[in-house]
Structures are given as structure tokens and as C-alpha cells.
Amino acid sequence: MPRWIPLESNPDVLNQWSRKAGLAHNAAFDDIYGLDEGLLAMVPQPVKAIVLLFPITPQSESKRKQEDEEIDKNGQPSIDPTLLWIKQTIPNACGTMGLIHAIANSDVTVSPASPLAKFIDECQGKTPEERAKLLETTPLFETIHSEAASGGQSAVPTNLDTDLHFTCFVAAPAARGPGSEGAGLRVVELDGRRKGPIDRGECTDLLQDVAKIVQEIYIKGGPESLQFSMMSLGPA
């Protein structure tokens, strides 16, 4: 399977992709410049989803493996079954995956006749693997991805191997079950490389909560890197 061109972590690139896919003009992606209170206060509210670009390192891969093993062994809180999650099978498609996960699982407006609206509708009732196959066989998304990737500020790389990866965070209702009344919202991470959606805990403020999660899980204990980047989906 051919590798797609990696998407640049740049709101202009993400918004170019989103507009062509069908996101309405009253919503947009914006930079999150840092995790301290003053910089978080600059982010347009309300935040509907957050996309994180992070470096894949030996430390992050070890932590990912350990976390997957713990979930396999001990389970996790039930995930809202209406969330749309897709298994990533296309190399370097994590940018498109993160954008689909962010928009499809938020209450932002998507044009009913758009490629994204049709894709989301066709995903209903399918397994994550079937959704992945649908993405593989929908050439329009490869075209949108390629055009957005080629429209960034950086030159298109000739070597398409990358050690950077996009993941996405959304707020979702706690799955209903015995004793779950009033359970509220949960922060859920949607990463196509994982075995499924990951419950990251109670959601009181998506932006603040994700900032703490990123600091604790992705940054703390890892090598210093300038390759972390976060963007929010919110009002234009």
C-alpha cells in the first residue's frame, strides 16, 4: 500500500483539508501555543476536539505497549458506543485519521452533501477495520490529504518515513450502564494505531484536561523535543 505524504502540523493545512472535506466555515482549527494557563486562555472556546502531533520514540512506544497490556488485562471504563473510531491501515494517514476523528465526534457542522458527511454515514454499523477499508477505497480522501500536505510551509519530503504521529482527544458521554446515572463526560483519546478508543478520565474542561493528559502521558519522562504540536477545533 502506498504511503501518503505526512500532513504538516499547521492550522492552515488542517483547515484546508477540513474545508474540502466539508467542515462548515463557523468552525476551525487553531494553534495551542503551550500548556500553561496564560497560553491555554488564548484558545477560542468552546473547544470541541484537540489534535496532538507527537514524536514516536522508544520511550513512547514502551509506554504505549505497557498501557495496551494493562487495558487488555484490567479493562477500562466502557466507551460511548456511538463514537466513530477507525483503525489506521494506511501509512502516514494519521493526519487525516485525526481530523476525521475530531470532526466526526464533535457537534460541529458538516455539509450534508460533503465527502466527510457521506463517509461518516457509510461508516455507521461497520467495524473499525471495515471503516479502514472504506477509507482505503475512497480516493477523494487521498486527494484531499495530498493537496493539504502539499500546501504546507515545509517542502514535501522525498523520504516518506516519519517518526511523528497524530492522535485526537474528544469529550464523550460516559457509556450508560448499571450505576452510571449522572456519570457525565469522559475524555476519550482516538488513535488509529491503538487497539481502540482509550478512556482518559473524567472531562470537566476538555482543553484543561487534555493539557494535563499530554503533559503526564506524552511529555513527562520523555526526551525534550520541539516536535510536539497541539491544535484545537472550535469556533472560527
Side-chain angles (χ1 to χ4, degrees), residues 75-93:
Q76 63 175 340
S78 297
I79 303 291
D80 177 12
T82 65
L83 280 176
L84 178 69
W85 179 74
I86 308 166
K87 186 71 176 175
Q88 182 178 342
T89 56
I90 305 170
N92 293 345

Side-chain angles (χ1 to χ4, degrees), residues 79-197:
I79 303 291
D80 177 12
T82 65
L83 280 176
L84 178 69
W85 179 74
I86 308 166
K87 186 71 176 175
Q88 182 178 342
T89 56
I90 305 170
N92 293 345
C94 59
T96 280
M97 301 285 293
L99 290 166
I100 292 175
H101 284 149
I103 297 170
N105 295 296
S106 305
D107 61 356
V108 291
T109 303
V110 176
S111 172
S114 67
L116 186 54
K118 293 177 181 177
F119 178 79
I120 293 171
D121 186 59
E122 289 184 39
C123 281
Q124 302 308 312
K126 288 183 169 60
T127 66
E129 291 76 18
E130 288 171 338
R131 294 165 181 168
K133 180 58 68 175
L134 182 61
L135 184 62
E136 289 176 21
T137 56
T138 306
L140 185 57
F141 277 105
E142 182 177 3
T143 300
I144 292 172
H145 180 107
S146 178
E147 290 175 352
S150 301
Q153 297 176 355
S154 303
V156 175
T158 54
N159 180 2
L160 297 183
D161 290 331
T162 179
D163 59 357
L164 299 175
H165 184 68
F166 282 98
T167 188
C168 170
F169 300 86
V170 298
R176 292 298 177 184
S180 66
E181 293 77 7
L185 295 175
R186 309 290 293 178
V187 179
V188 179
E189 182 174 358
L190 302 167
D191 182 343
R193 291 178 74 224
R194 305 300 290 263
K195 295 183 177 181

Side-chain angles (χ1 to χ4, degrees), residues 43-85:
V43 177
Q45 295 285 345
V47 172
K48 303 293 187 178
I50 294 172
V51 175
L52 168 70
L53 180 74
F54 65 94
I56 297 174
T57 64
Q59 291 93 330
S60 70
E61 289 295 89
S62 175
K63 189 177 293 186
R64 177 172 71 95
K65 181 180 178 182
Q66 179 183 4
E67 189 171 50
D68 284 345
E69 289 174 349
E70 289 177 356
I71 292 174
D72 284 342
K73 180 180 179 180
N74 303 317
Q76 63 175 340
S78 297
I79 303 291
D80 177 12
T82 65
L83 280 176
L84 178 69
W85 179 74

